[in-house]
Amino acid sequence: MKVEQISIFIENKSGRLAEVAEILANAGINIRALSLADTSDFGILRLIVDNPVKALEMLRDNSFTVSKTEVVGIEVPNQPGGLALILSILDKSQINVEYMYAFGERPGGNAIIIFRFDNIDEAISVLKNNGILVIACDVISGI
Amino acid sequence: MFWNKEVETLPREELEALQLARLQQVVERVYSTVPFYKKTLDAAGVTPGSIRNLADLRRIPFTLKQDMRDSYPYGLFSTPLQEIVRIHASSGTTGKPTVVGYTHSDIENWSEMMARSFVAAGVHKGDIVHNAYGYGLFTGGLGAHYGAEKVGASVIPMSGGNTRKQLMIMQDFGSTVLTCTPSYSLFLAEVAAEEGIDFKNLKLRVGIFGAEPWTEAMRLEIEEKLNLKAIDIYGLSEILGPGVGIECIEAQNGLHTWEDQFIPEIIDPDTCEVLPCGERGELVITTITKEGIPLLRYRTRDITRIISEPCICGRTHRRIERLSGRSDDMLIIRGVNVFPSQIESVLFNIKGVEPHYQLIINREGNLDTLEVQVEVNEQTFSDEIKNLQILSNRIRHSIKEMLGVTCQVRLVEPKTIVRSEGKAKRVIDNRKP
């Protein structure tokens, strides 16, 4: 149910992002989804890749600071109100979203949204109890 | 354990009598052999015969680093060059290097000071001393080398640099004592961790670290990471090199200065007044046994205080407190006096923060700005920006609270702050032209 995301600390210096991409490319790792959060000094690049173990190892070997986090992927109907419904369910159960990012449309017209929750287990059970489809890990990394 | 118990435990009155006799000799000597001293002593109305007690020392003018530069290279030497068997010099990063010369007897005395220092630090015959102080013009390498040999230890003359090889030698040769700068010891620990080397599997027992100011927190970090007792040593080429003072392993609290060789004083760096015993200020040293280049009341620029309370180790030579910085390293940021070592101790008290940091000072308009660069590591990193902002806010608040200085904290990627194999360069001051 949980999806492994890797996060990378990147200083705001030209070329750093390109270096990350190149390291992953050379290791034959495919990026499935990404988001970049930035401040004036640094950014945090969050990635979902097809081989997180190898990606972590390669980035560490190249002196990047990395961490692994568990996130949740949810399939949302790609239509008005799709996201609103999910957020209202979370809100009613008082579950906070730390951050989220969406990506791609799957065949069948659904979007996928990645959520980072403080309490991931509780979030998953609330979503399931409300009939929301939580995507299995291998589904996302295999997209 | 003592190297020379009789001298190291000499009763104070005898020590002071010895100091006075030697002070009279050295004033006599430089007055007749060094034109610079003839001139300054005459100008101050001091004749060699007028030094009757130790308090008369105060009548003698200071010797400054600038005086050494003005006398470059040999102007302050008190013996003909034929008598000089070794020449060293400071790095000269801010101009011409300051040159010092040693006679045979000076080298012998220096080795004796280093032998006393090593033994005070718990080093003995049979130890394998891994000497990673730089050899060459810098006094650290050869100073430690001769002292360790005198003790009867086996010296590995590594010098600085080539960190991976240093680790290999340490492992293969079974080094028991490490001598280098404190910042380099932490760099060794960092590279060792990358190589999968655990210091617990090495034989190192004692580390003797000096040549730059460091903090108690840094000592604890070094002791934990390198699995050894970290001893602070003090010295400067103008006075001798390493071995002017050292902590004893019994107390690890304050550095015994070898008072049969030097007379230490503490002055207010602004007013130049001699401060009462125990007050913190700039260390001034008079050498009383040197032949090559004796110096009267040399202003070291190092900030410390004299500890006159007896030490548990039994040595009667007074201690100086661990150096808190240099009067010329002191930064004045918006009117506040800041020593880099103060910021270092703040950082060390924040869990998970790396010991590598850099201070960058700029002037924007008429205002000074201080940026503190701190490396992020896996312990402090978070995938959430707010957590990193909490970290940098905490650092900023702690610095503001402890020093009264507002700063910007910039989190940088690991290993981006330059590692030093000698003295760490902590400050980039862009205000200077």
Side-chain angles (χ1 to χ4, degrees):
Chain A
M1 287 297 137
K2 297 167 191 172
V3 180
E4 280 190 349
Q5 171 197 268
I6 58 174
S7 308
I8 306 143
F9 181 82
I10 296 182
E11 256 180 80
N12 274 0
K13 281 194 297 202
S14 63
R16 287 307 269 166
L17 199 54
E19 263 177 72
V20 173
E22 201 178 317
I23 290 163
L24 296 178
N26 290 340
I29 291 163
N30 202 355
I31 300 171
R32 301 302 186 189
L34 69 82
S35 108
L36 180 64
D38 68 328
T39 70
S40 58
D41 294 341
F42 63 83
I44 300 174
L45 178 65
R46 303 165 185 137
L47 297 175
I48 294 179
V49 296
D50 57 356
N51 189 344
V53 175
K54 190 168 179 195
L56 271 177
E57 188 191 314
M58 296 308 295
L59 289 164
R60 274 191 185 129
D61 283 354
N62 283 280
S63 296
F64 278 94
T65 302
V66 286
S67 71
K68 199 169 69 176
T69 325
E70 289 180 326
V71 293
V72 179
I74 297 167
E75 209 166 314
V76 183
N78 197 355
Q79 64 191 46
L83 176 62
L85 172 68
I86 308 266
L87 291 178
S88 76
I89 290 167
L90 293 170
D91 186 36
K92 273 180 204 139
S93 308
Q94 290 188 318
I95 289 176
N96 276 325
V97 176
E98 300 290 345
Y99 58 77
M100 53 180 271
Y101 51 100
F103 70 101
E105 192 172 325
R106 299 194 67 201
N110 286 347
I112 289 177
I113 298 182
I114 305 288
F115 284 93
R116 165 81 152 96
F117 299 112
D118 214 12
N119 187 339
I120 187 168
D121 293 318
E122 198 190 333
I124 289 175
S125 76
V126 164
L127 288 166
K128 278 187 170 169
N129 291 342
N130 283 277
I132 304 295
L133 184 60
V134 177
I135 307 171
C137 179
D138 54 341
V139 173
I140 290 190
S141 43
I143 288 167
Chain B
M1 284 277 286
F2 298 94
W3 174 253
N4 185 340
K5 186 168 184 182
E6 196 196 328
V7 177
E8 292 176 56
T9 60
L10 207 60
R12 291 286 326 163
E13 311 89 77
E14 287 179 46
L15 193 53
E16 283 169 17
L18 183 66
Q19 284 184 321
L20 178 60
R22 288 181 168 173
L23 174 65
Q24 287 166 334
Q25 281 166 13
V26 79
V27 174
E28 183 87 50
R29 177 189 181 85
V30 294
Y31 189 80
S32 59
T33 57
V34 184
F36 166 83
Y37 279 120
K38 167 109 180 47
K39 202 176 82 189
T40 55
L41 289 170
D42 279 346
V46 181
T47 57
S50 69
I51 302 293
R52 296 196 184 84
N53 53 52
L54 285 177
D56 283 331
L57 183 61
R58 296 182 184 199
R59 296 170 39 223
I60 298 174
F62 297 111
T63 306
L64 309 177
K65 197 177 185 88
Q66 190 58 43
D67 296 324
M68 301 189 77
R69 292 210 183 104
D70 294 344
S71 315
Y72 177 85
Y74 302 134
L76 288 182
F77 282 24
S78 167
T79 45
L81 270 179
Q82 292 95 302
E83 302 299 318
I84 298 290
V85 298
R86 177 102 63 79
I87 296 170
H88 280 287
S90 73
S91 53
T93 41
T94 49
K96 286 277 192 192
T98 46
V99 182
V100 287
Y102 301 74
T103 63
H104 265 302
S105 140
D106 288 337
I107 294 283
E108 179 49 39
N109 266 348
W110 185 12
S111 308
E112 161 84 16
M113 293 313 102
M114 279 306 285
R116 284 189 205 169
S117 300
F118 273 119
V119 171
V123 178
H124 45 69
K125 188 175 165 64
D127 266 316
I128 299 178
V129 176
H130 185 104
N131 186 19
Y133 283 115
Y135 282 64
L137 279 181
F138 173 60
T139 50
L142 282 164
H145 183 106
Y146 273 58
E149 277 189 357
K150 193 171 179 78
V151 169
S154 316
V155 189
I156 310 172
M158 282 306 299
S159 196
N162 212 342
T163 304
R164 284 186 165 74
K165 187 169 181 187
Q166 301 256 8
L167 291 166
M168 182 191 85
I169 298 277
M170 258 179 224
Q171 286 177 298
D172 296 350
F173 291 16
S175 313
T176 57
V177 177
L178 170 65
T179 53
C180 63
T181 59
S183 54
Y184 187 56
S185 79
L186 282 177
F187 183 55
L188 279 165
E190 196 174 283
V191 177
E194 278 169 21
E195 303 274 297
I197 298 167
D198 187 345
F199 274 92
K200 290 201 174 59
N201 300 326
L202 266 57
K203 295 206 172 111
L204 288 176
R205 196 182 79 247
V206 179
I208 297 173
F209 305 116
E212 64 188 15
W214 47 311
T215 56
E216 191 57 28
M218 189 155 166
R219 187 214 303 270
L220 297 178
E221 173 120 11
I222 291 171
E223 291 196 330
E224 195 202 316
K225 286 193 170 157
L226 279 84
N227 191 40
L228 45 69
K229 278 266 185 207
I231 303 290
D232 192 9
I233 189 168
Y234 174 68
L236 63 168
S237 66
E238 294 88 331
I239 297 303
L240 188 76
V244 175
I246 192 156
E247 289 178 330
C248 56
I249 196 162
E250 292 91 339
Q252 273 186 297
N253 181 13
L255 299 89
H256 292 278
T257 50
W258 305 119
E259 287 188 277
D260 57 321
Q261 309 283 322
F262 323 105
I263 305 179
E265 299 170 274
I266 299 290
I267 63 163
D268 178 322
D270 297 323
T271 65
C272 295
E273 301 258 335
V274 175
L275 295 174
C277 200
E279 282 192 31
R280 193 172 283 103
E282 181 182 328
L283 179 65
V284 169
I285 299 179
T286 299
T287 69
I288 49 175
T289 53
K290 266 172 81 181
E291 293 179 347
I293 175 166
L295 295 179
L296 302 182
R297 303 194 84 199
Y298 181 70
R299 286 189 60 172
T300 65
R301 298 288 175 187
D302 289 317
I303 303 292
T304 181
R305 69 184 187 93
I306 292 176
I307 305 169
S308 51
E309 290 79 38
C311 183
I312 52 168
C313 71
R315 285 176 182 80
T316 49
H317 297 238
R318 288 178 303 173
R319 290 168 285 168
I320 55 169
E321 190 179 68
R322 150 191 298 284
L323 303 191
S324 52
R326 289 177 54 79
S327 63
D328 50 2
D329 271 2
M330 189 180 77
L331 301 164
I332 301 179
I333 298 169
R334 297 194 193 185
V336 182
N337 295 352
V338 176
F339 289 106
S341 58
Q342 292 176 299
I343 293 185
E344 180 179 307
S345 31
V346 172
L347 293 177
F348 267 108
N349 286 324
I350 298 173
K351 201 173 173 295
V353 169
E354 284 284 320
H356 303 283
Y357 66 93
Q358 197 151 49
L359 311 180
I360 296 169
I361 301 129
N362 282 305
R363 179 162 289 153
E364 286 167 15
N366 289 318
L367 277 186
D368 300 329
T369 61
L370 169 65
E371 178 177 288
V372 180
Q373 294 190 345
V374 180
E375 288 185 0
V376 164
N377 59 21
E378 292 208 358
Q379 209 186 334
T380 47
F381 177 53
S382 160
D383 61 314
E384 294 177 44
I385 282 182
K386 70 173 184 209
N387 291 338
L388 290 176
Q389 281 170 340
I390 288 169
L391 175 71
S392 60
N393 282 340
R394 185 181 302 149
I395 296 172
R396 206 179 64 228
H397 283 144
S398 304
I399 289 173
K400 172 86 185 165
E401 204 168 63
M402 297 287 292
L403 308 177
V405 168
T406 308
C407 67
Q408 288 294 315
V409 173
R410 187 183 178 92
L411 300 177
V412 299
E413 286 176 26
K415 303 187 174 65
T416 50
I417 293 174
V418 178
R419 291 344 186 218
S420 165
E421 282 164 350
K423 303 185 188 202
K425 186 165 171 49
R426 301 294 194 195
V427 180
I428 297 174
D429 193 340
N430 295 320
R431 294 174 300 182
K432 289 172 187 160

